[in-house]
Amino acid sequence: MPNRTVFFVSDGTGITAETFGNSILAQFSSRHRHVRRPFIDTAEKADQVIAEINGTAVVEGKRPIVFITLVNDTVRDRIASRCNALVMDMFRTFVEPIEAELGIKSNHRVGRFSDVAKSQEYHDRIEAINFSLAHDDGQSSRNLAEADVILVGVSRCGKTPTSLYLAMQHGIKAANYPLIPDDFERDALPSSLLPYKRKCFGLTIDADRLSQIRNERRPGSKYAALANCRYEINEAERLMKREGIHWLSSTHKSIEEIATTILSDIRPDRLIY
């Protein structure tokens, strides 16, 4: 059983509350049941969440932990005062002190997704997602000149999730291409990538981990055999080194860490908001 139930309550998507709350909870070794309650923007919806939170406290015999990002004062005060829980109000903790320091009021937007029709950043992210999906796993070599980065590496080393994370979080147009035995036999990058070699960034992975991942997809196959994984990884790393392509191992890194390293290499301006 988890040690405690944690609620993430927001009048937006709840992503901000959940992301911030999880980063704090990661500092503790306890396990938690997570419940996200988005779009709580009326007193009636607030009362429903309050009843759920208080009911959880009764059933579990422990106060839930509640992270809230609520800009509506009525809803926020209602939840903060009526919940039998530890309520962590992220706006009052961070936004109000900054308002006092800057001497201006915040715009009290509901999350990062408000007014999306007017947001160039949102439009760029949608374009990047479409681009990354169209150029996943070497499906297309069209418009590669538009790519911000082209991830290369052996199959199942983390190229696709990293590409999509770069697109969704940073608006980066990321294509990805697998390096396959044919490339190793020719001792060359895929011909479609040669004009864009400077855009390439490589991913590699430990052979044992790659074999484990591939066995989940094709158990007992040559594709997943440890010896084959070692061969492909060695050849891919040799090829990337010879071509002057920067690369890193995804074995012990999160997607966020991989993406940040790539951004530092190709677009350091994207680390400044």
Side-chain angles (χ1 to χ4, degrees):
M1 290 291 291
N3 292 354
R4 198 73 63 97
T5 295
V6 180
F7 287 85
F8 305 95
V9 182
S10 175
D11 38 18
T13 62
I15 292 174
T16 299
E18 189 167 14
T19 300
F20 189 84
N22 282 336
S23 69
I24 294 174
L25 294 172
Q27 308 305 312
F28 303 92
S29 59
S30 53
R31 293 172 55 241
H32 306 285
R33 184 174 74 97
H34 290 194
V35 180
R36 190 200 298 180
R37 292 292 176 258
F39 309 119
I40 306 303
D41 52 8
T42 66
E44 291 76 15
K45 292 179 182 178
D47 287 341
Q48 293 174 5
V49 169
I50 292 167
E52 182 179 10
I53 292 170
N54 290 344
T56 300
V58 171
V59 170
E60 296 183 351
K62 298 177 181 178
R63 292 198 307 165
I65 299 170
V66 182
F67 291 92
I68 63 173
T69 50
L70 299 161
V71 299
N72 184 301
D73 287 337
T74 300
V75 173
R76 181 169 62 180
D77 291 342
R78 201 178 191 94
I79 289 177
S81 64
R82 300 186 182 184
C83 284
N84 180 20
L86 173 63
V87 179
M88 308 296 292
D89 187 335
M90 295 169 58
F91 283 171
R92 282 196 171 139
T93 301
F94 296 101
V95 175
E96 291 183 2
I98 293 174
E99 287 178 337
E101 181 68 24
L102 298 178
I104 58 176
K105 296 291 290 183
S106 71
N107 58 22
H108 281 195
R109 286 195 313 162
V110 180
R112 67 183 286 189
F113 302 108
S114 60
D115 299 325
V116 292
K118 302 176 184 178
S119 169
Q120 184 61 43
E121 178 190 1
Y122 185 81
H123 173 78
D124 291 344
R125 284 195 292 124
I126 294 299
E127 287 294 311
I129 292 168
N130 288 334
F131 183 91
S132 296
L133 289 172
H135 294 82
D136 179 43
D137 205 30
Q139 292 182 78
S140 173
S141 52
R142 292 182 56 196
N143 305 321
L144 280 180
E146 298 179 14
D148 294 304
V149 65
I150 302 169
L151 300 183
V152 296
V154 299
S155 171
R156 310 300 286 182
C157 69
K159 300 183 300 300
T160 293
T162 302
S163 296
L164 291 176
Y165 181 87
L166 285 167
M168 295 176 69
Q169 295 296 321
H170 299 283
I172 292 292
K173 290 184 176 179
N176 74 80
Y177 269 70
L179 297 177
I180 60 176
D182 287 350
D183 301 318
F184 308 143
E185 291 175 9
R186 290 186 293 102
D187 199 25
L189 291 172
S191 58
S192 57
L193 299 185
L194 292 177
Y196 311 106
K197 187 167 67 173
R198 64 181 181 83
K199 294 177 180 279
C200 291
F201 192 100
L203 294 182
T204 189
I205 188 172
D206 286 350
D208 288 341
R209 176 60 178 151
L210 181 61
S211 178
Q212 179 185 11
I213 293 171
R214 287 183 172 184
N215 266 301
E216 292 173 359
R217 188 179 185 186
R218 298 182 191 171
S221 64
K222 178 183 177 181
Y223 168 77
L226 181 58
N228 181 63
C229 291
R230 285 177 178 152
Y231 163 74
E232 289 191 26
I233 291 167
N234 290 338
E235 289 297 305
E237 290 180 357
R238 184 182 63 80
L239 181 57
M240 291 187 290
K241 184 176 182 179
R242 195 196 70 195
E243 296 292 343
I245 295 172
H246 292 178
W247 52 275
L248 62 82
S249 174
S250 65
T251 309
H252 302 295
K253 292 185 180 295
S254 67
I255 291 174
E256 292 85 354
E257 290 174 308
I258 297 169
T260 299
T261 302
I262 293 170
L263 287 171
S264 298
D265 188 77
I266 66 164
R267 292 290 301 276
D269 58 295
R270 289 299 178 101
L271 299 178
I272 303 173
Y273 296 90

